Amino acid sequence: MSKLILIDGNSIIYRAFFAMPPLTNTKGLHTNAVYGFTNMLLRLIEDHKPTHMMVAFDAGKITFRHEGYQEYKGGREKTPPELSEQFPLLKELLQGFGISQFELSGYEADDIIGTVSRIAEGAGHEILVVTGDKDMLQLASNHVQVGLTRKGVTEIETYAPEQIQERYGLEPLQIIDLKGLMGDASDNIPGIPGVGEKTALKLLHQFGSVEEVLANTSELKGKMKEKIETHADDAVLSKKLATIFREVPLDKSFDEMAFDGLKEDTAGPALAKLEFKSLLERLSFKADGTASDDPKQEKAPAKEIKVEVMDADHIGELIEALGTIEALHVETNGENPHHADVIGVVFSSSEQHYYVPYELLKAEEAEPLRKWLADQDIPKRGYDLHRTDLALHWKGIAFAGASFDVQLAAYLLDPTDSNQSVHALAGKYGLQSLTADEDVFGKGAKYKVPEDEVLSKHLAAKSAAILNLIPLQERELEGNEMASLFHDLEMPLSRILADMEKQGISANKDDLTELGKEFEAQINELVKEIYEIAGTEFNLNSPKQLGEILFVNLGLPVIKKTKTGYSTDAEVLEKLAPYHDIVRLILQYRTIAKLQSTYVEGLLKEISPKTGKVHTFYRQTIAATGRLSSQYPNLQNIPIRLEEGRKIRKVFVPSEPDWYILAADYSQIELRVLAHISDDTGLKEAFLHDMDIHTKTAMDVFGVTAEEVDSNMRRSAKAVNFGIVYGISDYGLSQNLNITRKEAARFIDQYFDAFSGVRRYMDDIVKDAKRDGYVTTLLERRRYLPEINASNFNLRSFAERTAMNTPIQGTAADIIKLAMVHMDATLAEQKLKSRMLLQVHDELVFEVPEDELELMKKLVPETMEKALALSVPLKAEVSYGMNWYEAK
DNA sequence: GGATTCACG
DNA sequence: ACGTACGTGAATCCC
């Protein structure tokens, strides 16, 4: 049967451009968009085995749509030159691949596709349209599927009329009406102001079309009715603009679009010219683009995945084969791994997969499997083994020996890639595509574990993908010089974190409840007073209602606006405080209400009835800089700055009688890291003499002696130091210090004059980032900055600040992670009873028996300070007490 | 589910 | 001229 793939060339190349990090070949030409496009093409060819293909392009700037509407696509950013130069490259590549392409002056790519699909459909062909543009869903029919790119470009989501009905409750043609009502800012199609997707769908479900909506406005009321009536013409025009024209005069025959696999003799050289080495390798071409005589496995037909569902009678077979197992996958359900359900385990070798349902894993017959899982000398490779460890732990099954975690590797290879699912990774690496978990299990309330037959197949496919990803990631880690970061730091840390989380920290429920009562009394008092002054009762937690009271009823001046109305944040309220007594009360209310809801009520919910402890979950694969994050509950943001909040820390206590809480934190770790990587003489000098860094900064910036630095100067210097670490901008500093931008700019200039090494670092790191497309930390942790060369000022500036900040924040993260690994090893070696419980970015918290207190007071800061040798000393300060509050 | 606010480093 | 300080997670409101 014939299968025709029609690709919206402009839409896909745009998406690819913004989705891919910058990439240039040795001739300095940008190639990232073509690279993304090529990946997508290869994926399409593999997945769909098309017999015919065509890529359509827009031609010229003016189309027939402009005849009725001059402003069509007006106000659009002009195509960045980095992208423009890639169009000819793409067209040449398509030629090399033997894929036909088409454009026609006066028409857009979607009109050409609309026309070809109409004709081909009539001739009885199956068609897949690939685009990033939702408008094209209007083309879907029984024989036309529309594939929309998801995040990135290699993943596409296909829509037949059925899926459109599911997602929108609309027929394909009604997509045009949807656009008519909502408009499209990117094409400058107006629509009806104030009508977004939600409203438009509601209207269409009720009336069916733009025309019917307009004919029945009498059934509507209020603002909505008014808006629709005033903008009726816009809606009609917008609908017209969104309608794909399917009668383009084409003289293209179906045979011209024929595609029978990549033309080896021309595809190879085309790839070689672009210097796409990894693709050449994947497609088994030699580096010069000629066909290889040693075809790689990837080119072999997809391997059948063989899975056996184990039962008590046959489990012996798996037990015998344990020696051959190369990877495993434990499927769990639930966000919080401390309370996750375990569904089952797949044990995989490259030849065979064995699925063991959870019930069987718990059974007596599976004892050898559990022993295998618990044996830390047997290396385990899999995906999210940290979660696996915790989930199994709470089910009474021990897990040890994690040696390669695919999720963790994926995070190191690109910490900003938000989709780390096995499904996405398989797509990214061009492996056999997987069914999405969502399609197997359903999601949210509809989650349901399917029968073993379906389940085992899916999980085995996942496990096979995991197994196949490992060598690819291993090679890439090595290529990026990140193998040591992965094997010697992050993998060991992952086990340490799991241990800390299982251990948990004791929280005194009664004390917390008592504190809650105090807060409650204060809240009641404050609320009463506020209502009295306002003269009315309202929802104090609603910024909208509060704004109404402050700015309308009381007539206070508006300081700042948000997208949706008046801003009432603390910064604004501080400025309003002199005008009206109510403002102070509101600020106090906010403070106490936050403590009550987040820290008293929130924490109470998280104290385990089983252990009397809170067991947070550290996420090792979230923060773009390499930091950890903490969830369920977040123990990295327990109040400390204000005394009222700081009291919360009193409820965190040792879990054994007569033990202590001991905490140690790095002093100025980020500025010390900056001193090291910038090699700035003055900054290094300051730390070598252990000076007060903010005072030293004030001295150099203001040109005064230590004695002459007053508190105001020190405060300014402190703000400048913060700004430097964050990637300074005069605007940001001016906001922070409440001074003008000019004054802030002067401070910054003076700072850079005094610390010229820092200026050089900031300039160099931004230059490096522009050249490489990424920045690194001291331990070679990497962060890509795809927007560093953007033509949009905001995007570019953000990336530049990130380039300055990430090596600093990230190296600090590297250092404390190292300290944790060393600390864990030392505790074990010396057989100490003390336990590491928490990490708060620059602080480690332990519980310590009395007889180890003196030792730990020395050992912890010493280990932290020696974690990594820099050109300036690291300094850690230790304290201890009966609870976390006292350890200050 | 997005927006707002606020807790931490 | 442009207009954000860097990195997180949780509670709440409101559509």
Side-chain angles (χ1 to χ4, degrees):
Chain A
M1 209 189 28
S2 60
K3 172 116 191 202
L4 169 63
I5 296 186
L6 299 171
I7 300 172
D8 184 343
N10 289 73
S11 164
I12 299 295
I13 199 174
Y14 250 94
R15 301 236 160 198
F17 180 70
F18 291 107
M20 306 291 295
L23 188 68
T24 48
N25 65 11
T26 51
K27 295 176 197 80
L29 281 175
H30 290 84
T31 54
N32 65 327
V34 181
Y35 185 77
F37 201 114
T38 311
N39 265 314
M40 187 216 63
L41 276 177
L42 295 173
R43 183 78 187 278
L44 280 175
I45 294 168
E46 191 182 333
D47 288 358
H48 298 275
K49 316 257 182 292
T51 57
H52 295 74
M53 284 184 96
M54 196 262 288
V55 181
F57 292 99
D58 299 348
K61 288 211 148 86
I62 302 297
T63 68
F64 69 90
R65 286 189 175 77
H66 290 87
E67 288 168 22
Y69 182 58
Q70 293 290 317
E71 291 77 22
Y72 180 65
K73 294 204 172 178
R76 239 192 202 193
E77 295 269 341
K78 71 167 194 287
T79 310
E82 297 86 351
L83 174 56
S84 301
E85 70 190 31
Q86 299 190 50
F87 276 90
L89 303 179
L90 175 62
K91 289 176 182 177
E92 198 177 336
L93 180 95
L94 290 172
Q95 208 162 20
F97 272 20
I99 296 172
S100 66
Q101 44 186 309
F102 201 62
E103 56 186 68
L104 186 65
S105 163
Y107 296 93
E108 294 183 59
D110 45 359
D111 301 315
I112 295 173
I113 289 175
T115 305
V116 175
S117 69
R118 175 182 60 81
I119 296 168
E121 188 181 10
H125 303 293
E126 289 297 318
I127 297 136
L128 174 66
V129 171
V130 181
T131 178
D133 184 355
K134 285 201 182 71
D135 284 16
M136 294 191 78
L137 291 175
Q138 64 185 270
L139 299 179
S141 72
N142 285 338
H143 300 285
V144 179
Q145 290 201 314
V146 178
L148 293 182
T149 52
R150 268 207 269 233
K151 287 168 200 159
V153 278
T154 41
E155 257 185 273
I156 67 164
E157 189 169 15
T158 51
Y159 286 83
E162 220 184 317
Q163 283 79 37
I164 298 176
Q165 190 60 244
E166 255 171 53
R167 165 103 185 249
Y168 297 102
L170 299 178
E171 294 300 315
L173 283 177
Q174 288 179 297
I175 293 294
I176 312 174
D177 296 274
L178 182 66
K179 197 58 160 285
L181 293 171
M182 355 177 339
D184 181 344
S186 70
D187 285 348
N188 213 22
I189 296 182
I192 295 172
V195 173
E197 185 174 304
K198 291 268 156 62
T199 319
L201 283 175
K202 221 166 75 191
L203 289 167
L204 288 178
H205 293 156
Q206 193 177 349
F207 299 109
S209 71
V210 167
E211 291 73 18
E212 286 300 308
V213 172
L214 298 180
N216 292 291
T217 51
S218 54
E219 289 181 37
L220 300 168
K221 49 188 189 230
K223 268 256 148 53
M224 178 67 57
K225 175 179 182 192
E226 204 179 293
K227 270 190 189 146
I228 292 178
E229 286 175 343
T230 0
H231 295 93
D233 290 350
D234 285 336
V236 173
L237 172 67
S238 300
K239 178 170 173 179
K240 211 168 118 195
L241 290 171
T243 305
I244 293 174
F245 180 66
R246 307 188 69 173
E247 304 286 344
V248 176
L250 291 174
D251 58 343
K252 190 99 174 153
S253 78
F254 194 63
D255 289 345
E256 283 178 72
M257 295 183 244
F259 176 80
D260 53 347
L262 291 187
K263 289 202 290 179
E264 285 200 357
D265 52 335
T266 50
L271 288 169
K273 194 172 166 193
L274 287 159
E275 301 171 15
F276 291 165
K277 297 198 189 75
S278 61
L279 291 180
L280 279 168
E281 197 178 331
R282 207 170 104 198
L283 294 166
S284 314
F285 291 112
K286 290 184 194 158
D288 62 2
T290 57
S292 165
D293 25 55
D294 165 34
K296 292 256 162 47
Q297 247 195 342
E298 280 95 340
K299 228 190 166 184
K303 215 185 213 169
E304 176 95 20
I305 291 174
K306 285 190 280 186
V307 55
E308 278 185 45
V309 179
M310 294 284 105
D311 58 30
D313 295 337
H314 298 85
I315 198 167
E317 195 186 323
L318 166 58
I319 293 167
E320 301 242 308
L322 277 173
T324 68
I325 296 305
E326 298 169 57
L328 81 167
H329 174 63
V330 177
E331 184 75 14
T332 61
N333 178 37
E335 286 284 296
N336 186 336
H338 293 294
H339 303 130
D341 286 326
V342 176
I343 293 165
V345 186
V346 180
F347 296 82
S348 298
S349 73
S350 55
E351 301 303 320
Q352 179 69 47
H353 306 271
Y354 304 88
Y355 175 64
V356 180
Y358 172 65
E359 295 69 32
L360 180 57
L361 187 68
K362 289 285 285 182
E364 205 186 318
E365 290 88 345
E367 169 63 20
L369 294 187
R370 296 195 296 270
K371 230 175 126 188
W372 185 88
L373 287 169
D375 188 341
Q376 69 163 354
D377 294 327
I378 300 176
K380 316 287 186 320
R381 313 196 293 173
Y383 177 90
D384 201 356
L385 298 175
H386 178 184
R387 180 179 292 269
T388 293
D389 184 344
L390 294 177
L392 290 176
H393 168 79
W394 294 110
K395 302 286 182 190
I397 301 172
F399 178 85
S403 70
F404 194 107
D405 187 323
V406 165
Q407 187 191 39
L408 199 44
Y411 165 72
L412 290 187
L413 290 170
D414 185 356
T416 51
D417 190 346
S418 53
N419 193 349
Q420 316 164 330
S421 63
V422 179
H423 177 91
L425 292 174
K428 192 164 156 179
Y429 284 86
L431 301 180
Q432 211 169 314
S433 62
L434 288 175
T435 316
D437 283 336
E438 222 179 282
D439 294 338
V440 177
F441 297 104
K443 99 175 168 177
K446 286 190 198 136
Y447 182 94
K448 198 171 155 275
V449 178
E451 58 192 51
D452 279 351
E453 167 80 21
V454 176
L455 182 64
S456 61
K457 266 202 180 136
H458 175 64
L459 297 184
K462 255 171 114 167
S463 194
I466 290 165
L467 186 52
N468 287 329
L469 282 165
I470 293 169
L472 302 175
Q473 291 183 318
E474 185 88 68
R475 211 184 311 160
E476 208 176 332
L477 287 167
E478 270 167 32
N480 292 356
E481 315 216 307
M482 293 165 85
S484 172
L485 175 67
F486 178 73
H487 291 290
D488 305 331
L489 186 65
E490 299 288 358
M491 284 304 306
L493 181 68
S494 130
R495 192 270 305 159
I496 294 167
L497 293 174
D499 285 350
M500 290 162 66
E501 295 155 357
K502 291 175 202 166
Q503 185 59 236
I505 183 166
S506 285
N508 190 321
K509 201 166 183 166
D510 295 340
D511 288 358
L512 196 53
T513 309
E514 198 51 44
L515 195 55
K517 283 186 189 148
E518 286 173 34
F519 287 149
E520 195 190 335
Q522 293 182 49
I523 288 173
N524 288 339
E525 186 58 32
L526 285 162
V527 168
K528 207 178 101 195
E529 284 185 57
I530 291 169
Y531 288 166
E532 224 159 83
I533 299 178
T536 171
E537 298 198 355
F538 61 101
N539 186 348
L540 250 173
N541 291 325
S542 161
K544 195 174 158 192
Q545 294 184 34
L546 177 61
E548 195 75 6
I549 300 283
L550 294 177
F551 305 110
V552 180
N553 295 13
L554 299 177
L556 297 179
V558 176
I559 310 276
K560 193 165 72 175
K561 289 201 139 196
T562 65
K563 264 188 223 170
T564 54
Y566 311 113
S567 171
T568 66
D569 66 20
E571 196 191 318
V572 168
L573 294 184
E574 280 300 337
K575 294 198 170 117
L576 292 176
Y579 291 92
H580 204 293
D581 293 344
I582 197 173
V583 180
R584 276 272 155 239
L585 297 174
I586 293 167
L587 279 164
Q588 281 175 37
Y589 169 83
R590 282 254 175 97
T591 306
I592 311 292
K594 173 84 178 179
L595 295 174
Q596 182 75 315
S597 68
T598 304
Y599 297 102
V600 175
E601 290 165 3
L603 226 39
L604 278 172
K605 278 185 228 155
E606 295 289 350
I607 299 177
S608 162
K610 257 188 281 185
T611 61
K613 295 177 172 187
V614 280
H615 302 268
T616 190
F617 173 46
Y618 287 107
R619 301 203 60 182
Q620 204 179 348
T621 62
I622 294 294
T625 53
R627 277 188 174 183
L628 299 176
S629 82
S630 154
Q631 273 182 321
Y632 321 126
N634 182 355
L635 292 183
Q636 291 183 318
N637 71 347
I638 302 301
I640 189 164
R641 290 171 193 168
L642 301 175
E643 180 54 30
E644 299 114 294
R646 195 169 190 156
K647 291 208 172 81
I648 299 279
R649 294 184 172 229
K650 291 186 180 177
V651 311
F652 292 96
V653 295
S655 63
E656 317 253 1
D658 302 321
W659 283 36
Y660 293 88
I661 295 290
L662 178 143
D665 67 304
Y666 280 113
S667 159
Q668 302 296 351
I669 187 167
E670 293 190 332
L671 287 172
R672 286 171 196 262
V673 165
L674 174 63
H676 174 86
I677 56 185
S678 70
D679 205 32
D680 180 276
T681 323
L683 209 50
K684 284 199 302 187
E685 193 71 7
F687 285 121
L688 287 169
H689 296 110
D690 200 21
M691 296 169 77
D692 175 317
I693 193 61
H694 303 314
T695 302
K696 161 75 176 164
T697 305
M699 288 162 60
D700 291 1
V701 167
F702 299 112
V704 295
T705 65
E707 292 70 35
E708 289 166 329
V709 174
D710 63 28
S711 63
N712 212 12
M713 290 157 84
R714 188 176 180 281
R715 190 178 62 89
S716 302
K718 189 173 170 180
V720 172
N721 279 329
F722 268 93
I724 291 292
V725 169
Y726 290 158
I728 195 115
S729 78
D730 49 14
Y731 182 80
L733 183 64
S734 74
Q735 290 294 299
N736 191 285
L737 279 177
N738 237 325
I739 56 179
T740 67
R741 226 185 63 209
K742 261 207 164 129
E743 289 165 330
R746 236 177 79 80
F747 274 171
I748 294 170
D749 246 13
Q750 285 168 330
Y751 178 94
F752 281 140
D753 286 345
F755 299 94
S756 57
V758 177
R759 188 202 300 265
R760 195 174 332 114
Y761 161 74
M762 295 294 172
D763 290 348
D764 288 351
I765 193 77
V766 170
K767 259 189 232 149
D768 289 354
K770 285 181 194 292
R771 183 195 60 211
D772 303 332
Y774 62 87
V775 290
T776 56
T777 66
L778 270 191
L779 297 195
E780 299 295 339
R781 186 185 302 283
R782 185 178 282 209
R783 178 175 182 177
Y784 293 96
L785 299 167
E787 285 160 347
I788 194 87
N789 292 312
S791 39
N792 178 312
F793 174 88
N794 276 330
L795 293 180
R796 191 178 63 245
S797 303
F798 196 177
E800 287 171 358
R801 289 196 301 278
T802 310
M804 301 185 235
N805 169 265
T806 294
I808 302 173
Q809 194 183 118
T811 300
D814 293 348
I815 291 172
I816 194 164
K817 283 177 166 178
L818 270 177
M820 292 170 78
V821 172
H822 296 167
M823 202 58 232
D824 177 81
T826 308
L827 289 177
E829 266 162 33
Q830 304 196 16
K831 299 204 166 54
L832 296 173
K833 298 194 287 295
S834 296
R835 303 170 186 136
M836 185 153 59
L837 301 182
L838 303 177
Q839 189 252 45
V840 193
H841 309 307
D842 66 354
E843 174 186 14
L844 295 176
V845 180
F846 298 79
E847 56 183 5
V848 176
E850 183 152 25
D851 61 351
E852 292 178 7
L853 191 57
E854 286 310 309
L855 173 65
M856 289 289 283
K857 274 163 64 182
K858 283 213 171 68
L859 186 60
V860 174
E862 206 177 277
T863 307
M864 290 170 75
E865 288 169 2
K866 285 188 180 156
L868 187 66
L870 303 183
S871 58
V872 293
L874 288 172
K875 187 177 169 191
E877 290 172 310
V878 68
S879 59
Y880 66 95
M882 304 293 291
N883 53 54
W884 197 7
Y885 177 94
E886 286 178 19
K888 62 180 173 186

